[in-house]
């Protein structure tokens, strides 16, 4: 059940620069799975690219240049022209569009802040990493739950966004997940998140109240949240009652940064040395409904891939 918010740590600012920059704050968190079971993910390390793993498990480079966040515009609601115009007019942050072959849909990419396309097709993003802005299909922008800004600052800033089948938005912070109802009401799903028996991968000086440093997250059909606890090299599952458990661990030097859910399967984007130099290497692992973990993509074939 939702409950009132409890205090948090000091706010932090995470800088996510486009792939052309030589300076990165941390590796990308963008991963999505479509209805065909195809996995799309970003690589904003040394081999910057957008990748696809098709239903047969074949890996292919879709486009050069890897941004930080990724969402699937399944209905093709957002054209490249509109996205460019809205950014130029200061209505939205900068979004890139990658059309999908044999489909009216597209992938949207962004840097700077997490974003998601909600159940109704609206484009939602973490404005300033402290507020949730929603762009309706007619181009109107609304700030959801404006009073959440102070809370977001206390909790360390927004690190991830996801939408549930019920239309609720789920928002991750370094040590918390909040749930936002369609009417804007915000409740706490879990805070603080304390984990035992896990490894750590945190920048020096990270406050204790920002552990395990959650980033990307996803929600299954039952309302359970899966979040990449990058600072603890694991993925956590948060049940609807707020119970937290570790469901997947990564060995050094890997750390999860993004999560996607398809049916009963959980797909995890991981990077090497997430808090070190920007030449990160990604891999994709799948946590099956039976608890079995399989690796779908490794760094070496990613670098050897070719454009279509």
């Amino acid at each position: 059940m939702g409950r009132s918010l409890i205090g948090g740590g000091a706010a932090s600012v995470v800088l996510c620069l486009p792939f052309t920059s030589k300076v990165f704050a941390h590796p990308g968190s963008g991963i999505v799975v479509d209805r065909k079971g195809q996995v799309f993910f970003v690589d904003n390390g040394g081999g910057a690219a957008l990748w696809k793993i098709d239903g047969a498990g074949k890996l292919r480079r879709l486009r050069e240049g890897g941004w930080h966040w990724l969402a699937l515009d399944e209905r093709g609601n957002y054209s490249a022209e509109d996205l460019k115009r809205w950014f130029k007019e200061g209505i939205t942050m900068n979004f890139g569009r990658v059309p999908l072959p044999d489909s009216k849909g597209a992938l949207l990419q962004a840097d700077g802040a997490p974003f998601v396309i909600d159940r109704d097709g609206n484009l939602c993003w973490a404005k300033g990493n402290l507020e949730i802005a929603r762009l309706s299909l007619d181009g109107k922008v609304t700030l959801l739950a404006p009073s959440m800004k102070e809370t977001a600052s206390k909790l360390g800033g927004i690190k991830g966004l996801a939408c549930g089948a019920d239309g609720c938005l789920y928002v991750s912070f370094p040590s918390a997940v909040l749930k936002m109802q369609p009417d804007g009401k915000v409740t706490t799903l879990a805070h603080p998140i304390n984990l035992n028996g896990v490894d750590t991968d945190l920048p020096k000086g990270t406050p204790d109240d920002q552990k395990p440093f959650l980033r990307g997250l996803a929600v299954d059909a039952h309302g359970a949240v899966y979040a990449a606890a990058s600072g603890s090299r694991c993925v956590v599952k948060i049940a609807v009652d707020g119970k937290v458990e570790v469901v997947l661990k990564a060995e050094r030097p890997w750390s999860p940064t993004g999560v996607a859910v398809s049916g009963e399967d959980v797909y995890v984007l991981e990077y090497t040395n997430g808090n070190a130099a920007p030449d990160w290497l990604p891999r994709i692992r799948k946590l099956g409904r039976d608890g079995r973990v399989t690796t779908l993509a490794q760094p070496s074939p990613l670098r050897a891939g070719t454009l279509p």
Side-chain angles (χ1 to χ4, degrees), residues 116-120 122-127 129-136 140-152 158 161-163 167-171 173 178-186:
V116 69
I117 295 177
D118 70 16
R119 182 186 60 179
D120 299 321
N122 302 304
L123 185 56
C124 304
W125 70 97
K127 183 179 179 181
N129 293 101
L130 296 175
E131 301 176 279
I132 306 298
R134 180 179 65 197
L135 176 76
S136 60
K140 181 181 178 181
V141 175
T142 305
L143 282 181
L144 305 179
S147 61
M148 195 180 90
K149 185 175 183 179
E150 182 179 353
T151 297
I158 298 170
L161 276 178
C163 184
C168 293
L169 292 179
Y170 294 80
V171 191
F173 300 84
L178 304 188
K179 179 178 180 180
M180 180 182 293
Q181 303 286 346
D183 62 4
K185 180 182 178 182
V186 179

Side-chain angles (χ1 to χ4, degrees), residues 49-252:
L50 175 64
W51 296 91
K52 178 182 82 170
I53 305 173
D54 65 23
K58 183 179 179 180
L59 182 69
R60 189 182 188 97
R61 190 198 307 253
L62 282 183
R63 177 164 296 194
E64 299 287 355
W67 296 29
H68 191 95
W69 297 97
L70 190 65
L72 179 61
D73 180 15
E74 213 165 16
R75 307 169 193 169
N77 289 327
Y78 299 97
S79 68
E81 293 75 16
D82 282 340
L83 292 171
K84 290 178 181 178
R85 175 172 57 85
W86 289 327
F87 174 61
K88 184 177 181 180
E89 295 175 356
I91 295 174
T92 70
M93 65 179 189
N94 190 25
F95 291 101
R97 185 180 190 274
V98 180
L100 294 175
D102 304 319
S103 170
K104 66 178 182 179
L107 294 169
L108 301 188
Q109 297 189 95
D111 284 315
F115 77 102
V116 69
I117 295 177
D118 70 16
R119 182 186 60 179
D120 299 321
N122 302 304
L123 185 56
C124 304
W125 70 97
K127 183 179 179 181
N129 293 101
L130 296 175
E131 301 176 279
I132 306 298
R134 180 179 65 197
L135 176 76
S136 60
L137 297 178
D138 60 3
K140 181 181 178 181
V141 175
T142 305
L143 282 181
L144 305 179
S147 61
M148 195 180 90
K149 185 175 183 179
E150 182 179 353
T151 297
S153 179
K154 290 179 179 179
L155 292 177
I158 298 170
K159 308 305 179 191
L161 276 178
C163 184
D166 57 0
C168 293
L169 292 179
Y170 294 80
V171 191
S172 67
F173 300 84
S175 189
V177 173
L178 304 188
K179 179 178 180 180
M180 180 182 293
Q181 303 286 346
D183 62 4
K185 180 182 178 182
V186 179
T187 56
T188 303
L189 182 61
H191 177 256
I193 296 174
N194 299 311
L195 304 179
N196 297 315
V198 293
D199 196 1
T200 57
D201 181 26
L202 291 162
K204 291 182 179 179
T206 300
D208 285 341
D209 61 9
Q210 291 197 1
K211 299 175 181 178
F213 214 95
L214 305 184
R215 288 183 181 165
L217 73 167
V219 189
D220 70 14
H222 309 292
V225 174
Y226 293 85
S230 297
S232 293
R233 300 186 190 274
C234 67
V235 173
V236 297
K237 177 182 179 181
I238 307 172
V240 293
D241 62 359
K243 180 182 178 182
V244 179
E245 63 175 318
V246 175
V247 293
L248 178 144
K249 292 183 179 181
E251 75 284 5
R252 286 178 178 266

